Amino acid sequence: MYAVLYDATRCVGCNKCVQACTSVNRLDPEIPDPTTEADGLSGRRWTSIVQVPGKKRYVKKQCLHCLHPGCVSACLVGAMTQSPQGPVLYDRGKCMGCRYCMIACPVGIPRYEWDKAIPYIQKCNLCAERNAQDKKCACVEACTHGALQQGERGEMLAKAHRLIADNPGQYLDHVYGERELGGTSVLYLSDTPLEAVLRFPANLREVSVPEITWPVINKTPAVALTALGLLVGTYWIIERRIKLAEKEESRSGENNQPDKGPGR
Amino acid sequence: MNKVHRVKEFLWLVSMFGLVALVLRTFLGLGATTNLTDAMPWGLWKIFNMVAGVALAAGGFTLAGAVYVLHLKKYQSLIRPAIAVAFLGYGVSAFSLMWDIGLPYRIWHPILPSMWNPHSFLFEVAWCVMLYFTVSFVELSAALAEKSPWRKVSRFLHRISVPLVITGITLSTLHHSSLGSLFLVAPGRLHPLWYTGNWIPFQFFVSAVGGGMMTVVLVALLYAYLYNKKPDLPALQGIAKASAFFLVLFLLLRLGEITADRKWAVVFSGQWESRVFGVELLLEVILPVFLVALPRVRRSAWGLAAAAALAMLGLVMQRIDTGITGFVRWLDTPYFPSLTEFAFSLGVYAAAGLVLMFLAERFDVFEKVTWGQEEKIVGDFTRLWWDVVNSVPARISLLVVLAIPLAVLVFSTGSLQGFPLIRQATEAPTGADPTRSTLRLDGNRNGKAVLFAHKQHQESLGGAASCPQCHHLSKPNDPNTACFHCHSDFMLSRSIFNHSLHEQALAGNKACAQCHNLSIPESRDNSKPCADCHAQDMGMNPLAAGRHFNDQALGYKAAMHKLCVSCHQKKGADMGYPELAECATCHQ
């Protein structure tokens, strides 16, 4: 389980990581990308560098690769999967383009190729293929300022906390992604708050999306059985009472014919 | 039958607009035809057609339950219209969804076991909707197949109707609630007035039951009005009262949720959302229940129709608020559907209306309608026009023929030109003020520029004579080409040599030999140097005759850095100002 640690205090915003990402993943490097949202991500950009508003600080936006990803739980055809090494991967062969992953991502990362007639989802895959060949992520390799590091998630967390302890006053005492959204594989160190730039939802601080949906959706079989039972039961009881009433009526009709008023 | 024709003509017109929208969406893609963005990936088609379409169709399973399970034979007359409405509502939903998803030809993917994901609400919805669509089709077939030679099939279908109905209700319970649970994933973005947590499945189910029954009421009344039949008013009143019960239950669920989740402050916060919420509750519950509660209104067809229409409108509004309006505050740019989106959405509903009318006329869905022979007017040549105007099929074909070009005309401003934003890509990355004292260098067009003191540099480097130090090459016949004309891409190098332009300007296919030595394989080296022809007009830094130059211009960023940074580093060291070469000196 590997992770990427981003140190916002070391990033100068040179965009070399973005350049490396677009060329390694063969994304269309045209700039400006006409589909780009305000955060720089788009169907042609898996990562981007944005400035913290009003501060001389940059933040690298990309898929955070949640440990309990909302997109994986939401995708109805299982096109989003999580590999045992951590990366959340997208299988374009399965995708039917419903875009529910875009709704389900708590930080709004997956992007769509809106300008194409046959569109797919685009998002960072944490260079899973490169890592399988023992290479580092393209962005980590491209960073010349030591703002990006990669390693085992536990080691990266330990490193982050050591950096905080060794450099008092230089960092906020918080590693973004350690617990947010149930933990992510991309970790952020910073001296200014990053919640707003990373768009961590205020009411979903340390809860992952599947933690909200699973307790509801796992009631489905129980609800189905209850509904089925109630319906069959109701039908049977009413049907039986009608039959009994008919029988009663016919029997009383035979015995007490005169009791019934003429012409009903 | 005149009003029937008017309605049919109108529905044909609307559905033809929808057809044009469908064709445009198929060939140009979603970005070109809709206003959807990465921040608002679900729009009118998903919410109004799929989510609301299914909700409006909920009357099918409700009435089937009332008649077959609860044995309420009073509503027997409404069962077929209700099932027809259900089938068409699910048809609208499935058809719209097919064109809303990016890859319509993969709509069947959820069926394959290798792609199942039981963790997904959408997976559950997809399966239940598929199955219920099939169930409603089978239930409807029982009515449609009554005519021979299918009578045996019909008899069999009637025999299995109770298990079918019970399956249908179970499936409906699941997917009507899950359509609400779909939005459980968006706690950070959906406005708290519509993100109701674990209440949402109950609220969606109960409101669908209430609103779905009202749809049956309105459809039955419309049928009676159009075909001059007598509506089964006592049954319709019963349905309306039952619907009012469920609508009130929905209101109680909402009030309970607002109280339990302590959201009264949000309701009275004065945000525009709270006003939308008020209107929604007024339309969906308060007005229809009030109308149904008044005996005088309830007993009139018009009163019932008004109550039903309001409840349907409110139901649709509630779905749209949950799926669209509730997200607006989170967006940087608010979403409003495009013309094409509206055309397709309404077109699908109009087409469903036409199918319903067809079923009503040809089959025993409502009751048998017998058609008189259409009176044919045989006129002379001068009366040809009137023949067209007076004959219904001709009039409809005329409308269809007229509607398609009209729709294309209406949409042409937006959709026909492809994805609209692409046209903005050619803007210059630099903006010069008329005096050229300071240039804004914004290579990646992100609105953040390096301010380059152009005049100051020019003066300190030695006036007009120094221009060629930076302006190393100009385009032919352009005395002062700016950087971005060749270094047009931020990252990539770009060829600045326009081959096809030269080919055309010289002599087309015969021109090759004018520049290329045809005996050597194609490469830049076998080509004539630019300066052989352009020595005079290459601007302020004419190329030496015979010199080849690289036609691959560097990317904008690389070129600027090569030119600016290297000079800054040199001068900074010479002058004792190393900070002159630091990034932040210029990139502020």
Side-chain angles (χ1 to χ4, degrees), chain A residues 12 14-16 18-19 22 28-32 34-39 41-45 49-51 56 58 70-78 80 90-100 102-108 110-120 145 199 201-204 209-210 212-214 216-217 220-221 223-225 227-228 230-232 234-236 238-239 242, chain B residues 25-32 34 36-43 46 65 68-71 97 100-110 114-124 126 162 165-167 169-170 173-174 177-178 181-190 195 198 201 327 330-333 419 421-425 443-445 448 488-492 494 557 583-584 587-588:
Chain A
V12 294
C14 73
N15 271 289
K16 262 197 147 58
V18 181
Q19 190 176 0
T22 43
D28 187 346
E30 187 186 338
I31 278 194
T35 56
T36 302
E37 289 288 317
D39 62 4
L41 297 179
S42 74
R44 296 172 187 145
R45 283 290 174 283
I49 296 287
V50 291
Q51 198 169 2
K56 268 201 183 174
Y58 298 92
C71 56
V72 172
S73 77
C75 179
L76 79 163
V77 289
M80 290 282 182
Y90 167 68
D91 179 354
R92 59 164 56 198
K94 287 182 177 177
C95 178
M96 50 191 264
C98 74
R99 311 185 291 283
Y100 191 37
M102 302 172 76
I103 301 270
C105 177
V107 283
R111 299 301 151 111
Y112 209 51
E113 296 178 319
W114 295 106
D115 49 337
K116 304 205 172 140
I118 297 185
Y120 295 97
H145 283 69
R199 299 204 100 158
N203 47 357
L204 195 68
V209 171
I212 303 175
T213 55
W214 181 242
V216 180
I217 199 165
T220 306
V223 172
L225 286 177
L228 207 61
L230 277 177
L231 288 165
V232 173
T234 314
Y235 173 79
W236 185 77
I238 296 180
E239 188 76 8
I242 288 175
Chain B
R25 179 255 168 273
T26 310
F27 290 102
L28 299 178
L30 284 167
T34 68
L36 298 175
T37 59
D38 284 326
M40 190 68 213
W42 282 13
K46 266 244 179 54
Y68 287 97
V69 178
L70 300 179
H71 295 77
L97 181 68
D100 175 85
I101 64 173
L103 310 165
Y105 51 91
R106 289 182 173 178
I107 186 93
W108 53 276
H109 269 192
S114 63
M115 297 196 194
W116 285 1
N117 178 12
H119 288 256
S120 168
F121 280 113
L122 204 55
F123 173 74
E124 189 198 325
V162 170
V165 164
I166 287 178
T167 318
I169 299 173
T170 310
T173 316
L174 296 180
S177 51
S178 287
S181 310
L182 280 184
F183 298 97
L184 274 179
V185 297
R189 282 162 289 163
L190 189 53
Y195 187 86
N198 290 351
F327 284 91
W330 188 81
L331 302 173
D332 297 325
T333 43
F419 191 66
L421 282 163
I422 270 178
R423 279 169 285 131
Q424 298 170 5
N444 59 351
R445 285 102 154 172
K448 282 184 212 117
S488 56
D489 194 284
F490 189 61
M491 304 274 193
L492 263 199
R494 278 284 162 100
K557 186 179 153 196
C583 305
H587 294 279
Q588 286 173 343

Side-chain angles (χ1 to χ4, degrees), chain B residues 247-563:
Chain B
L247 293 178
V248 170
L249 189 60
F250 170 70
L251 184 69
L252 291 178
L253 278 173
R254 287 241 61 175
L255 298 182
E257 158 240 322
I258 288 169
T259 311
D261 295 352
R262 305 210 178 112
K263 285 201 277 206
W264 282 107
V266 187
V267 176
F268 292 109
S269 64
Q271 292 176 328
W272 60 267
E273 281 96 341
S274 51
R275 257 164 278 157
V276 171
F277 175 66
V279 174
E280 178 196 305
L281 279 191
L282 201 67
L283 285 177
E284 187 172 10
V285 183
I286 298 166
L287 285 179
V289 171
F290 181 71
L291 286 178
V292 172
L294 296 175
R296 274 189 62 187
V297 179
R298 187 170 67 224
R299 284 191 199 119
S300 84
W302 286 104
L304 268 183
L310 284 171
M312 285 168 68
L313 202 65
L315 176 65
V316 169
M317 187 171 168
Q318 191 256 337
R319 295 305 198 250
I320 287 181
D321 285 346
T322 309
I324 298 174
T325 322
F327 284 91
V328 166
R329 185 172 289 274
W330 188 81
L331 302 173
D332 297 325
T333 43
Y335 162 81
F336 191 78
S338 69
L339 221 54
T340 333
E341 283 179 88
F342 277 116
F344 179 76
S345 272
L346 299 173
V348 176
Y349 275 109
L354 282 172
V355 176
L356 189 61
M357 289 175 89
F358 173 80
L359 292 178
E361 287 164 16
R362 300 297 160 93
F363 296 94
D364 300 342
V365 169
F366 291 85
E367 51 184 306
K368 190 88 185 102
V369 186
T370 41
W371 283 92
Q373 201 69 26
E374 284 282 336
E375 209 178 301
K376 233 180 181 165
I377 306 164
V378 189
D380 52 39
F381 184 73
T382 50
R383 291 192 62 187
L384 189 67
W385 176 246
W386 286 111
D387 289 356
V388 170
V389 171
N390 284 327
S391 110
V392 175
R395 211 155 51 204
I396 286 176
S397 349
L398 190 70
L399 268 173
V400 167
V401 171
L402 288 178
I404 291 175
L406 191 65
V408 173
L409 262 179
V410 170
F411 299 145
S412 64
T413 45
S415 305
L416 284 182
Q417 286 150 15
F419 191 66
L421 282 163
I422 270 178
R423 279 169 285 131
Q424 298 170 5
T426 46
E427 252 174 58
T430 63
D433 67 356
T435 61
R436 302 202 177 175
S437 62
T438 306
L439 301 183
R440 291 182 75 252
L441 304 181
D442 179 11
N444 59 351
R445 285 102 154 172
N446 66 355
K448 282 184 212 117
V450 164
L451 293 180
F452 176 65
H454 184 255
K455 204 172 176 191
Q456 200 186 325
H457 278 79
Q458 196 187 14
E459 281 164 3
S460 72
L461 287 173
S466 68
C467 295
Q469 285 186 37
C470 303
H471 295 269
H472 52 102
L473 189 68
S474 291
K475 285 189 166 179
N477 299 321
D478 180 6
N480 194 7
T481 301
C483 314
F484 66 85
H485 283 132
C486 301
H487 305 284
S488 56
D489 194 284
F490 189 61
M491 304 274 193
L492 263 199
S493 55
R494 278 284 162 100
S495 175
I496 58 168
F497 177 74
N498 191 338
H499 187 269
S500 62
L501 182 99
H502 283 77
E503 194 183 322
Q504 279 169 24
L506 292 172
N509 284 339
K510 286 176 238 155
C512 305
Q514 289 187 34
C515 302
H516 297 286
N517 179 351
L518 297 174
S519 61
I520 314 173
E522 252 182 63
S523 87
R524 194 161 52 232
D525 300 328
N526 76 6
S527 318
K528 206 178 199 176
C530 305
D532 278 16
C533 302
H534 292 295
Q536 298 309 311
D537 45 26
M538 291 301 268
M540 53 187 66
N541 192 9
L543 290 162
R547 194 183 120 201
H548 286 276
F549 86 105
N550 191 347
D551 69 310
Q552 292 286 319
L554 288 177
Y556 192 85
K557 186 179 153 196
M560 291 302 117
H561 280 171
K562 204 174 155 193
L563 195 64

Side-chain angles (χ1 to χ4, degrees), chain A residues 164 167-172 191:
Chain A
I164 293 171
N167 303 285
Q170 198 182 320
Y171 298 104
L172 293 177
D191 56 354

Side-chain angles (χ1 to χ4, degrees), chain A residues 29-197:
Chain A
E30 187 186 338
I31 278 194
D33 179 346
T35 56
T36 302
E37 289 288 317
D39 62 4
L41 297 179
S42 74
R44 296 172 187 145
R45 283 290 174 283
W46 288 358
T47 185
S48 70
I49 296 287
V50 291
Q51 198 169 2
V52 181
K55 300 242 169 69
K56 268 201 183 174
R57 278 284 169 263
Y58 298 92
V59 173
K60 184 175 187 284
K61 293 274 289 188
Q62 66 173 99
C63 174
L64 301 180
H65 299 275
C66 307
L67 303 185
H68 306 284
C71 56
V72 172
S73 77
C75 179
L76 79 163
V77 289
M80 290 282 182
T81 49
Q82 190 173 31
S83 92
Q85 283 75 40
V88 176
L89 303 174
Y90 167 68
D91 179 354
R92 59 164 56 198
K94 287 182 177 177
C95 178
M96 50 191 264
C98 74
R99 311 185 291 283
Y100 191 37
C101 53
M102 302 172 76
I103 301 270
C105 177
V107 283
I109 292 297
R111 299 301 151 111
Y112 209 51
E113 296 178 319
W114 295 106
D115 49 337
K116 304 205 172 140
I118 297 185
Y120 295 97
I121 292 283
Q122 292 285 356
K123 83 169 196 63
C124 163
N125 58 14
L126 213 58
C127 287
E129 267 180 47
R130 285 171 61 89
N131 277 281
Q133 304 161 6
D134 280 335
K135 284 194 235 166
K136 287 194 168 172
C137 293
C139 54
V140 175
E141 219 171 70
C143 186
T144 50
H145 283 69
L148 283 166
Q149 305 173 52
Q150 186 187 331
E152 280 297 302
R153 188 167 186 270
E155 285 170 29
M156 286 294 114
L157 274 175
K159 201 170 203 172
H161 284 295
R162 212 178 314 128
L163 275 170
I164 293 171
D166 293 351
N167 303 285
Q170 198 182 320
Y171 298 104
L172 293 177
D173 187 12
H174 187 83
V175 183
Y176 291 95
E178 184 176 8
R179 284 189 299 273
E180 274 85 2
L181 311 172
T184 65
S185 291
V186 179
L187 306 163
Y188 288 82
L189 267 182
S190 170
D191 56 354
T192 55
L194 300 182
E195 286 93 338
V197 187

Side-chain angles (χ1 to χ4, degrees), chain B residues 74-150:
Chain B
K74 179 183 170 189
Y75 303 115
Q76 188 82 50
S77 70
L78 293 172
I79 196 96
R80 283 186 178 181
I83 286 169
V85 167
F87 174 70
L88 287 170
Y90 281 76
V92 165
S93 180
F95 186 80
S96 311
L97 181 68
M98 191 161 150
W99 299 101
D100 175 85
I101 64 173
L103 310 165
Y105 51 91
R106 289 182 173 178
I107 186 93
W108 53 276
H109 269 192
I111 300 173
L112 288 185
S114 63
M115 297 196 194
W116 285 1
N117 178 12
H119 288 256
S120 168
F121 280 113
L122 204 55
F123 173 74
E124 189 198 325
V125 169
W127 263 97
C128 288
V129 168
M130 254 187 309
L131 291 175
Y132 184 74
F133 191 42
T134 316
V135 166
S136 69
F137 175 72
V138 174
E139 287 174 350
L140 187 63
S141 311
L144 301 190
E146 269 169 358
K147 286 182 184 168
S148 58
W150 301 103

